Every structure is written in structure tokens, then in C-alpha cells.
Amino acid sequence: PTRYVAPVSCVTERHVAERTWTLTTTVACSSPLLYWKHTNSFMGAAAAAPRCLVLAGPSGVGKGTVLARLSQVLPDVFGFSVSHTTRAPRPGECDGREYHFVTEEEFQRARAEGRFLETASVHGQWYGTSWEAIERVRRTGRICVLDIDVQGVRSIRAAKLPALVVFLRPPSMAELERRLRGRGTEDEAKIQRRLETAAEELRIAHEEPSLFDAIIENQDLEETCAQLRKLLDEEVQALRGVREAGAASAAQRTSGKH
Ligand code: ADP
Ligand code: 5GP
């Protein structure tokens, strides 16, 4: 069975009885769920950490736009898992911000080293979510957001990563094509390829709706964001709980020093 090896850096400091303990060994767990539980308990979380938000849906449906809007409405709540990809950056995209842009060789090496929670070939390019990408967000104490395709959703489900999984669908294929063209980031051949993948993803969402916790039609941006906010209510509450517990334990440590 696969061994999930979390990066050492994921295990930071835990303050117990006024002493700071640092675990320095690599955590090797047999499943992402165990890994999640292990790091949670090590971090001494008094409250359960919020689940990740996984947003899936065809290219051009509006995932990026919805997430950007949601981050405006709920500032300091979300952090984005930065995936690795072998595709070339689009104008304006920055290495390490939208993606870690890597060569095929680099990608396969990282994959062989067990650095990815999931990988998928989408539109002829490789994409993958690394453990470190998720851990980086966790360390900021935010809800980790993954923008991944349906294959990635299957892997995340199989791995039992605690996540709220939402599929965004377009009002119609014609509207999806209009949005993809309107974005102006792909040439004709790439648009056609993305439309073919989109048809397949929509078929899967239609035939296997249970893969997702919710399917939202992204017609009106504000309405989509409102629906997502409602779905995320519990996670935002959990986030507040973790933050309050963290603040209380920090205050206790400070008062203990005087
Ligand atoms: P994705 O991240 O899913 O590939 P984007 O967020 O890049 O998609 O959106 C693709 C295009 O569709 C963008 O030009 C965006 O402005 C537009 N768009 C997104 N959501 C909506 C919506 N609800 N109504 C109309 N246009 C939208
Ligand atoms: P784009 O090239 O438009 O940024 O992304 C193309 C597709 O790849 C989108 O459907 C996006 O959700 C998906 N994707 C991006 N990163 C990942 C990833 O790490 N894993 C998987 N499985 N899909 C990804």
C-alpha cells in the first residue's frame, strides 16, 4: 500500500507545560486520514480543524473567479493549495503563486518520491497536489482550497481526506464556450481540448453526483458565492474555534511567564 510521507516541516511546535517540544522525525502514515489526525493531535488542537474545500468543474466554468470573490467576502479565511503542473504559465501567472511550473521530469521525480497526495493528466498535461501545498496552508490556519479536476476528486475521496467537495457546472455548454473564449487565454486547439474534457466531466457529475457534497450551477456569480458560503458555514465556525483555542493557549502561556 502507498505510504504517505508528510514533509518534516509540517510538524512544528507544540507548547506543553511551558515547554516547547518540536517533533523532528518525518511522519509516515498509511493514509492521509491518519496523517490528518496525527498532525491535528500533535498540534494540540483543542478544536477540530476545518475541512478542506475542493472546488471542481470544467475549465472556464468560473472556479477561479468564484474563489477570488469568496476571498473578498471572507478575508483571511482561505488559503490556496498551489499545485504542480507541467503546463506552461499563462501571461501574468507567476511560478509558486498560481502553480509550481515544472518540467515533466521534475514532476515524475516528485511523484516517485511520494510528494503528491494526488496527480492527474488533464488536457494532456500533468497536475498534482503535493502534501506540502496543503501543509503550507494549514500552517497559516486557513481553510485550504483545492481547485482540481474530477480525477483528483476521486483520489481525494479514495484517500479520505476530510474535505467539502463542490462541483461547479455551467448553465450550458454554449455559455462555457463563451466564457472560455472570453477569457482569451487559450488558442483554438486548446479550447477544443478543454471543451471535450468538459463534456466528460459534466457526464461524470451527472452520472455520479454522490462524488460531490454539492453541485452548483454557476449562473450568477453572487448567487453561487452565497450558496458556497452557506455550505461553508460549519467550516468557518470550525476555523473560528481553532483560532480562539489558539489565542486562549497563547494567552495562558504569556500569563504563565509572569
Ligand atoms: P476556471 O477557473 O473555472 O477555469 P475562470 O474563473 O477563469 O474559470 O472563469 C472563466 C471566465 O468566465 C472568466 O472570464 C470569468 O470572468 C467568467 N465568469 C466566471 N463566472 C462567471 C459567471 N457567473 N457569469 C459570467 N461569467 C463568469
Ligand atoms: P488550468 O490549466 O486551466 O489551470 O487547469 C486545468 C484543469 O486542471 C482544471 O480543471 C483544474 O481544476 C485542474 N487542476 C489544477 N490543479 C490540479 C491538481 O493539482 N490536481 C488535479 N487533479 N487537477 C488539477
PDB file of all heavy atoms in Angstrom, residues 57-66 147 175 178-180 182-183 218-221 224, ligand 1:
ATOM      1  N   GLY A  57     -14.781  21.271 -11.449  1.00  0.00           N
ATOM      2  CA  GLY A  57     -15.662  21.762 -12.510  1.00  0.00           C
ATOM      3  C   GLY A  57     -14.835  22.062 -13.732  1.00  0.00           C
ATOM      4  O   GLY A  57     -13.631  22.285 -13.622  1.00  0.00           O
ATOM      5  N   PRO A  58     -15.483  22.080 -14.911  1.00  0.00           N
ATOM      6  CA  PRO A  58     -14.714  22.239 -16.139  1.00  0.00           C
ATOM      7  C   PRO A  58     -13.949  23.557 -16.220  1.00  0.00           C
ATOM      8  O   PRO A  58     -14.346  24.557 -15.612  1.00  0.00           O
ATOM      9  CB  PRO A  58     -15.777  22.160 -17.240  1.00  0.00           C
ATOM     10  CG  PRO A  58     -17.080  22.227 -16.575  1.00  0.00           C
ATOM     11  CD  PRO A  58     -16.914  21.910 -15.135  1.00  0.00           C
ATOM     12  N   SER A  59     -12.873  23.519 -16.958  1.00  0.00           N
ATOM     13  CA  SER A  59     -12.078  24.720 -17.190  1.00  0.00           C
ATOM     14  C   SER A  59     -12.987  25.798 -17.804  1.00  0.00           C
ATOM     15  O   SER A  59     -13.735  25.526 -18.745  1.00  0.00           O
ATOM     16  CB  SER A  59     -10.949  24.353 -18.165  1.00  0.00           C
ATOM     17  OG  SER A  59     -10.196  25.483 -18.479  1.00  0.00           O
ATOM     18  N   GLY A  60     -12.965  26.983 -17.234  1.00  0.00           N
ATOM     19  CA  GLY A  60     -13.746  28.099 -17.772  1.00  0.00           C
ATOM     20  C   GLY A  60     -15.094  28.271 -17.089  1.00  0.00           C
ATOM     21  O   GLY A  60     -15.815  29.242 -17.337  1.00  0.00           O
ATOM     22  N   VAL A  61     -15.457  27.353 -16.179  1.00  0.00           N
ATOM     23  CA  VAL A  61     -16.781  27.457 -15.537  1.00  0.00           C
ATOM     24  C   VAL A  61     -16.824  28.629 -14.553  1.00  0.00           C
ATOM     25  O   VAL A  61     -17.890  29.171 -14.243  1.00  0.00           O
ATOM     26  CB  VAL A  61     -17.169  26.123 -14.839  1.00  0.00           C
ATOM     27  CG1 VAL A  61     -16.338  25.873 -13.595  1.00  0.00           C
ATOM     28  CG2 VAL A  61     -18.648  26.115 -14.483  1.00  0.00           C
ATOM     29  N   GLY A  62     -15.627  29.005 -14.038  1.00  0.00           N
ATOM     30  CA  GLY A  62     -15.582  30.152 -13.128  1.00  0.00           C
ATOM     31  C   GLY A  62     -15.029  29.842 -11.751  1.00  0.00           C
ATOM     32  O   GLY A  62     -15.234  30.613 -10.810  1.00  0.00           O
ATOM     33  N   LYS A  63     -14.295  28.749 -11.609  1.00  0.00           N
ATOM     34  CA  LYS A  63     -13.776  28.359 -10.278  1.00  0.00           C
ATOM     35  C   LYS A  63     -12.882  29.464  -9.696  1.00  0.00           C
ATOM     36  O   LYS A  63     -13.055  29.880  -8.557  1.00  0.00           O
ATOM     37  CB  LYS A  63     -12.989  27.038 -10.360  1.00  0.00           C
ATOM     38  CG  LYS A  63     -13.803  25.860 -10.856  1.00  0.00           C
ATOM     39  CD  LYS A  63     -13.002  24.579 -10.888  1.00  0.00           C
ATOM     40  CE  LYS A  63     -11.842  24.591 -11.867  1.00  0.00           C
ATOM     41  NZ  LYS A  63     -12.207  24.624 -13.289  1.00  0.00           N
ATOM     42  N   GLY A  64     -11.950  29.919 -10.510  1.00  0.00           N
ATOM     43  CA  GLY A  64     -11.025  30.960 -10.047  1.00  0.00           C
ATOM     44  C   GLY A  64     -11.761  32.235  -9.677  1.00  0.00           C
ATOM     45  O   GLY A  64     -11.480  32.869  -8.647  1.00  0.00           O
ATOM     46  N   THR A  65     -12.717  32.608 -10.498  1.00  0.00           N
ATOM     47  CA  THR A  65     -13.480  33.842 -10.270  1.00  0.00           C
ATOM     48  C   THR A  65     -14.285  33.740  -8.977  1.00  0.00           C
ATOM     49  O   THR A  65     -14.302  34.669  -8.158  1.00  0.00           O
ATOM     50  CB  THR A  65     -14.447  34.092 -11.470  1.00  0.00           C
ATOM     51  OG1 THR A  65     -13.694  34.003 -12.675  1.00  0.00           O
ATOM     52  CG2 THR A  65     -15.128  35.424 -11.381  1.00  0.00           C
ATOM     53  N   VAL A  66     -14.926  32.595  -8.786  1.00  0.00           N
ATOM     54  CA  VAL A  66     -15.743  32.388  -7.585  1.00  0.00           C
ATOM     55  C   VAL A  66     -14.859  32.434  -6.336  1.00  0.00           C
ATOM     56  O   VAL A  66     -15.193  33.068  -5.330  1.00  0.00           O
ATOM     57  CB  VAL A  66     -16.495  31.034  -7.684  1.00  0.00           C
ATOM     58  CG1 VAL A  66     -17.052  30.609  -6.337  1.00  0.00           C
ATOM     59  CG2 VAL A  66     -17.615  31.132  -8.721  1.00  0.00           C
ATOM     60  N   ASP A 147      -8.321  23.527  -6.173  1.00  0.00           N
ATOM     61  CA  ASP A 147      -9.020  23.660  -7.456  1.00  0.00           C
ATOM     62  C   ASP A 147      -8.488  22.520  -8.323  1.00  0.00           C
ATOM     63  O   ASP A 147      -7.381  22.605  -8.854  1.00  0.00           O
ATOM     64  CB  ASP A 147      -8.675  25.054  -8.025  1.00  0.00           C
ATOM     65  CG  ASP A 147      -9.123  25.252  -9.471  1.00  0.00           C
ATOM     66  OD1 ASP A 147      -9.450  24.261 -10.151  1.00  0.00           O
ATOM     67  OD2 ASP A 147      -9.134  26.411  -9.910  1.00  0.00           O
ATOM     68  N   GLU A 175     -22.561  28.466 -23.030  1.00  0.00           N
ATOM     69  CA  GLU A 175     -22.083  29.506 -22.106  1.00  0.00           C
ATOM     70  C   GLU A 175     -20.651  29.203 -21.661  1.00  0.00           C
ATOM     71  O   GLU A 175     -19.821  30.108 -21.533  1.00  0.00           O
ATOM     72  CB  GLU A 175     -23.030  29.602 -20.898  1.00  0.00           C
ATOM     73  CG  GLU A 175     -22.586  30.537 -19.784  1.00  0.00           C
ATOM     74  CD  GLU A 175     -22.410  32.009 -20.183  1.00  0.00           C
ATOM     75  OE1 GLU A 175     -22.861  32.411 -21.277  1.00  0.00           O
ATOM     76  OE2 GLU A 175     -21.783  32.743 -19.384  1.00  0.00           O
ATOM     77  N   ARG A 178     -18.438  30.248 -24.355  1.00  0.00           N
ATOM     78  CA  ARG A 178     -18.370  31.721 -24.388  1.00  0.00           C
ATOM     79  C   ARG A 178     -17.383  32.217 -23.318  1.00  0.00           C
ATOM     80  O   ARG A 178     -16.553  33.087 -23.576  1.00  0.00           O
ATOM     81  CB  ARG A 178     -19.769  32.302 -24.142  1.00  0.00           C
ATOM     82  CG  ARG A 178     -19.959  33.747 -24.573  1.00  0.00           C
ATOM     83  CD  ARG A 178     -21.306  34.305 -24.140  1.00  0.00           C
ATOM     84  NE  ARG A 178     -21.441  34.428 -22.688  1.00  0.00           N
ATOM     85  CZ  ARG A 178     -20.833  35.348 -21.948  1.00  0.00           C
ATOM     86  NH1 ARG A 178     -20.047  36.236 -22.523  1.00  0.00           N
ATOM     87  NH2 ARG A 178     -20.999  35.374 -20.637  1.00  0.00           N
ATOM     88  N   ARG A 179     -17.431  31.624 -22.132  1.00  0.00           N
ATOM     89  CA  ARG A 179     -16.540  32.050 -21.039  1.00  0.00           C
ATOM     90  C   ARG A 179     -15.079  31.704 -21.351  1.00  0.00           C
ATOM     91  O   ARG A 179     -14.183  32.501 -21.104  1.00  0.00           O
ATOM     92  CB  ARG A 179     -16.960  31.388 -19.713  1.00  0.00           C
ATOM     93  CG  ARG A 179     -18.237  31.980 -19.186  1.00  0.00           C
ATOM     94  CD  ARG A 179     -18.628  31.381 -17.840  1.00  0.00           C
ATOM     95  NE  ARG A 179     -19.995  31.767 -17.507  1.00  0.00           N
ATOM     96  CZ  ARG A 179     -20.677  31.329 -16.468  1.00  0.00           C
ATOM     97  NH1 ARG A 179     -20.107  30.480 -15.628  1.00  0.00           N
ATOM     98  NH2 ARG A 179     -21.907  31.735 -16.250  1.00  0.00           N
ATOM     99  N   LEU A 180     -14.901  30.491 -21.886  1.00  0.00           N
ATOM    100  CA  LEU A 180     -13.526  30.080 -22.214  1.00  0.00           C
ATOM    101  C   LEU A 180     -12.931  31.016 -23.267  1.00  0.00           C
ATOM    102  O   LEU A 180     -11.794  31.464 -23.149  1.00  0.00           O
ATOM    103  CB  LEU A 180     -13.534  28.657 -22.779  1.00  0.00           C
ATOM    104  CG  LEU A 180     -13.151  27.521 -21.847  1.00  0.00           C
ATOM    105  CD1 LEU A 180     -13.228  26.190 -22.585  1.00  0.00           C
ATOM    106  CD2 LEU A 180     -11.762  27.702 -21.253  1.00  0.00           C
ATOM    107  N   GLY A 182     -14.013  34.038 -23.967  1.00  0.00           N
ATOM    108  CA  GLY A 182     -13.972  35.396 -23.395  1.00  0.00           C
ATOM    109  C   GLY A 182     -12.729  35.599 -22.535  1.00  0.00           C
ATOM    110  O   GLY A 182     -12.185  36.698 -22.463  1.00  0.00           O
ATOM    111  N   ARG A 183     -12.263  34.527 -21.886  1.00  0.00           N
ATOM    112  CA  ARG A 183     -11.083  34.650 -21.033  1.00  0.00           C
ATOM    113  C   ARG A 183      -9.845  34.928 -21.877  1.00  0.00           C
ATOM    114  O   ARG A 183      -8.926  35.616 -21.432  1.00  0.00           O
ATOM    115  CB  ARG A 183     -10.905  33.354 -20.217  1.00  0.00           C
ATOM    116  CG  ARG A 183      -9.877  33.483 -19.139  1.00  0.00           C
ATOM    117  CD  ARG A 183      -9.912  32.301 -18.200  1.00  0.00           C
ATOM    118  NE  ARG A 183      -9.474  31.062 -18.843  1.00  0.00           N
ATOM    119  CZ  ARG A 183      -9.488  29.873 -18.267  1.00  0.00           C
ATOM    120  NH1 ARG A 183      -9.942  29.750 -17.030  1.00  0.00           N
ATOM    121  NH2 ARG A 183      -9.075  28.782 -18.904  1.00  0.00           N
ATOM    122  N   ASN A 218     -23.142  27.582 -11.826  1.00  0.00           N
ATOM    123  CA  ASN A 218     -22.598  28.936 -11.726  1.00  0.00           C
ATOM    124  C   ASN A 218     -23.182  29.824 -12.822  1.00  0.00           C
ATOM    125  O   ASN A 218     -22.552  30.068 -13.850  1.00  0.00           O
ATOM    126  CB  ASN A 218     -21.060  28.904 -11.815  1.00  0.00           C
ATOM    127  CG  ASN A 218     -20.471  30.310 -11.712  1.00  0.00           C
ATOM    128  OD1 ASN A 218     -21.064  31.200 -11.104  1.00  0.00           O
ATOM    129  ND2 ASN A 218     -19.302  30.502 -12.308  1.00  0.00           N
ATOM    130  N   GLN A 219     -24.409  30.292 -12.539  1.00  0.00           N
ATOM    131  CA  GLN A 219     -25.050  31.199 -13.486  1.00  0.00           C
ATOM    132  C   GLN A 219     -24.718  32.620 -13.059  1.00  0.00           C
ATOM    133  O   GLN A 219     -24.017  33.344 -13.756  1.00  0.00           O
ATOM    134  CB  GLN A 219     -26.559  30.964 -13.472  1.00  0.00           C
ATOM    135  CG  GLN A 219     -27.354  31.975 -14.298  1.00  0.00           C
ATOM    136  CD  GLN A 219     -28.177  31.299 -15.367  1.00  0.00           C
ATOM    137  OE1 GLN A 219     -28.839  30.301 -15.095  1.00  0.00           O
ATOM    138  NE2 GLN A 219     -28.148  31.814 -16.573  1.00  0.00           N
ATOM    139  N   ASP A 220     -25.203  32.961 -11.873  1.00  0.00           N
ATOM    140  CA  ASP A 220     -24.963  34.301 -11.343  1.00  0.00           C
ATOM    141  C   ASP A 220     -23.866  34.207 -10.272  1.00  0.00           C
ATOM    142  O   ASP A 220     -24.005  33.442  -9.313  1.00  0.00           O
ATOM    143  CB  ASP A 220     -26.265  34.846 -10.746  1.00  0.00           C
ATOM    144  CG  ASP A 220     -26.049  36.192 -10.093  1.00  0.00           C
ATOM    145  OD1 ASP A 220     -25.891  37.182 -10.832  1.00  0.00           O
ATOM    146  OD2 ASP A 220     -25.973  36.246  -8.844  1.00  0.00           O
ATOM    147  N   LEU A 221     -22.814  34.978 -10.456  1.00  0.00           N
ATOM    148  CA  LEU A 221     -21.648  34.877  -9.570  1.00  0.00           C
ATOM    149  C   LEU A 221     -22.008  35.073  -8.092  1.00  0.00           C
ATOM    150  O   LEU A 221     -21.596  34.299  -7.222  1.00  0.00           O
ATOM    151  CB  LEU A 221     -20.600  35.909 -10.010  1.00  0.00           C
ATOM    152  CG  LEU A 221     -19.262  35.862  -9.299  1.00  0.00           C
ATOM    153  CD1 LEU A 221     -18.557  34.539  -9.514  1.00  0.00           C
ATOM    154  CD2 LEU A 221     -18.377  37.018  -9.767  1.00  0.00           C
ATOM    155  N   THR A 224     -23.905  32.124  -6.710  1.00  0.00           N
ATOM    156  CA  THR A 224     -23.011  30.974  -6.494  1.00  0.00           C
ATOM    157  C   THR A 224     -22.222  31.155  -5.204  1.00  0.00           C
ATOM    158  O   THR A 224     -22.094  30.234  -4.391  1.00  0.00           O
ATOM    159  CB  THR A 224     -22.030  30.829  -7.687  1.00  0.00           C
ATOM    160  OG1 THR A 224     -22.788  30.680  -8.869  1.00  0.00           O
ATOM    161  CG2 THR A 224     -21.106  29.642  -7.517  1.00  0.00           C
TER     162      THR A 224
HETATM  163  P1  ADP B   1     -11.922  28.444 -14.215  1.00  0.00           P
HETATM  164  O1  ADP B   1     -11.066  28.897 -13.063  1.00  0.00           O
HETATM  165  O2  ADP B   1     -13.019  27.524 -13.804  1.00  0.00           O
HETATM  166  O3  ADP B   1     -11.120  27.898 -15.356  1.00  0.00           O
HETATM  167  P2  ADP B   1     -12.388  31.314 -14.580  1.00  0.00           P
HETATM  168  O4  ADP B   1     -12.636  31.732 -13.178  1.00  0.00           O
HETATM  169  O5  ADP B   1     -11.071  31.649 -15.196  1.00  0.00           O
HETATM  170  O6  ADP B   1     -12.676  29.746 -14.786  1.00  0.00           O
HETATM  171  O7  ADP B   1     -13.578  31.963 -15.449  1.00  0.00           O
HETATM  172  C1  ADP B   1     -13.614  31.856 -16.858  1.00  0.00           C
HETATM  173  C2  ADP B   1     -14.276  33.126 -17.426  1.00  0.00           C
HETATM  174  O8  ADP B   1     -15.670  33.103 -17.079  1.00  0.00           O
HETATM  175  C3  ADP B   1     -13.689  34.403 -16.884  1.00  0.00           C
HETATM  176  O9  ADP B   1     -13.539  35.322 -17.949  1.00  0.00           O
HETATM  177  C4  ADP B   1     -14.731  34.885 -15.870  1.00  0.00           C
HETATM  178  O10 ADP B   1     -14.768  36.291 -15.785  1.00  0.00           O
HETATM  179  C5  ADP B   1     -16.042  34.326 -16.443  1.00  0.00           C
HETATM  180  N1  ADP B   1     -17.054  34.007 -15.411  1.00  0.00           N
HETATM  181  C6  ADP B   1     -16.856  33.345 -14.240  1.00  0.00           C
HETATM  182  N2  ADP B   1     -18.013  33.213 -13.569  1.00  0.00           N
HETATM  183  C7  ADP B   1     -18.971  33.799 -14.314  1.00  0.00           C
HETATM  184  C8  ADP B   1     -20.397  34.000 -14.158  1.00  0.00           C
HETATM  185  N3  ADP B   1     -21.068  33.554 -13.073  1.00  0.00           N
HETATM  186  N4  ADP B   1     -21.063  34.658 -15.129  1.00  0.00           N
HETATM  187  C9  ADP B   1     -20.404  35.101 -16.230  1.00  0.00           C
HETATM  188  N5  ADP B   1     -19.064  34.970 -16.443  1.00  0.00           N
HETATM  189  C10 ADP B   1     -18.354  34.314 -15.495  1.00  0.00           C
END
